[in-house]
Amino acid sequence: MTDTHPVGPARGELLPARMQTLLLEADRLEEFLGELVTLAASALPVPAHCSITLGVEGGRAPYTAAASDKAVRWASP
């Protein structure tokens, strides 16, 4: 999603609607998670990084499913 982000108090009020739009428009889970971490990182008034790490039952190591940028991307072993 490439629209402009509001600033000030309106910023927080629009986040739930933006998250719903992301969910409805995403074709795949990975696409939704990627957009979600980008939104989360940009929603704060200070520079931030965001990632989602998932674990799978059965012994597979946790892996980063989505990251806002390279600083928080973790490669699974």
Side-chain angles (χ1 to χ4, degrees), residues 1 5 33-43 50 67-69:
M1 198 167 219
H5 301 295
L33 295 177
E35 294 288 342
L36 182 62
V37 295
T38 301
L39 175 63
S42 67
C50 183
S68 62
D69 54 75

Side-chain angles (χ1 to χ4, degrees), residues 10-11 14-15 17 26 39 42 49 51 68 72-73:
R11 179 182 221 142
L14 297 177
L15 286 176
L39 175 63
S42 67
H49 308 283
S51 68
S68 62
V72 291
R73 194 167 289 128

Side-chain angles (χ1 to χ4, degrees), residues 22-48:
L22 292 177
L23 182 58
L24 294 173
E25 292 180 352
D27 292 327
R28 300 179 348 227
L29 175 62
E30 294 82 7
E31 180 184 344
F32 168 70
L33 295 177
E35 294 288 342
L36 182 62
V37 295
T38 301
L39 175 63
S42 67
L44 297 173
V46 296

Side-chain angles (χ1 to χ4, degrees), residues 51-65:
S51 68
I52 296 175
T53 301
L54 300 176
V56 179
E57 290 185 40
R60 182 175 170 198
Y63 67 98
T64 302

